[in-house]
Amino acid sequence: MVFVWSIYAAWLVLIVYLTVSAFGVKRDTEEHIAQRLGLMFAMILAFLLPRVPMFRFVNFAPVNAVLSSIGVIVAVTGMAFLVWARQTLGSNWSQIVSAKHGHELVTSGPYRYVRHPMYTGGLVACIGSAIVVGGGFVFLLILLGVIFLWRVGAEDRLLARQFPDEFPDYARRTKALVPFVW
């Protein structure tokens, strides 16, 4: 049970960090309330679905200590990568796909390896969490996976418009989510 609580504690710390670090970011050039609501709805749905009788099979935690340890390490590694990416973005970060006032193309830190390291880190954290806890994290992985795949395309199009001289070369030399693969 300590592994399960470790996962929830790590996510709580991550959410608090992301919330606090959102203060002082550059303002979005326009509001996208549908994106904000869609992300919130997906997270709520992910934790409601395991309560539906036909989906109870995903409630498999706790598993053995070795697999749980691996899951915690994977989850924390994903979260650390996400935090590194968030720190590197600085005031250019946005919860939604949106241009910022004074937007800059960030290509350093984890952005040297993938164009969307926060999504990579988030998905890795969900995989580790699903190994340990199952339930909502299984559905969170699926739902966020779909949302993140959409956002990769949307952000790439936005960055191509915002940075027509720099982004195409950056996109050619840097994979989207998985280093050296995609």
Side-chain angles (χ1 to χ4, degrees):
M1 200 62 171
V2 70
F3 298 109
V4 172
W5 285 111
S6 298
I7 291 294
Y8 283 116
W11 278 99
L12 180 62
V13 169
L14 179 64
I15 291 166
V16 168
Y17 163 75
L18 290 173
T19 302
V20 170
S21 69
F23 293 107
V25 298
K26 296 174 184 174
R27 291 182 318 129
D28 295 327
T29 57
E30 56 186 277
E31 185 57 47
H32 297 280
I33 195 72
Q35 283 186 53
R36 291 184 197 279
L37 291 175
L39 187 59
M40 182 179 69
F41 177 71
M43 289 189 281
I44 291 169
L45 183 62
F47 287 92
L48 290 177
L49 284 173
R51 298 192 175 11
V52 174
M54 68 185 276
F55 295 127
R56 289 218 172 120
F57 68 92
V58 301
N59 297 320
F60 52 76
V63 293
N64 69 57
V66 172
L67 191 55
S68 291
S69 297
I70 292 167
V72 169
I73 291 167
V74 169
V76 171
T77 300
M79 290 177 191
F81 195 67
L82 188 155
V83 167
W84 181 29
R86 172 61 190 89
Q87 285 293 113
T88 304
L89 269 183
S91 63
N92 289 293
W93 178 76
S94 180
Q95 178 188 4
I96 59 172
V97 178
S98 177
K100 300 294 233 173
H101 292 283
H103 206 153
E104 300 167 272
L105 180 63
V106 177
T107 61
S108 60
Y111 293 88
R112 287 185 304 245
Y113 308 109
V114 289
R115 293 191 308 274
H116 306 281
M118 288 186 71
Y119 300 152
T120 301
L123 291 172
V124 169
C126 283
I127 290 167
S129 300
I131 290 169
V132 177
V133 180
F137 289 104
V138 172
F139 288 108
L140 191 63
L141 174 62
I142 294 166
L143 294 172
L144 286 183
V146 170
I147 291 169
F148 288 173
L149 288 176
W150 171 81
R151 287 178 74 151
V152 162
E155 285 184 14
D156 281 353
R157 287 187 297 278
L158 173 72
L159 292 171
R161 283 191 311 273
Q162 290 285 115
F163 306 102
D165 297 330
E166 302 121 300
F167 185 75
D169 181 52
Y170 173 61
R172 270 191 298 279
R173 72 176 188 269
T174 312
K175 300 296 183 187
L177 285 174
V178 182
F180 313 110
V181 179
W182 182 75

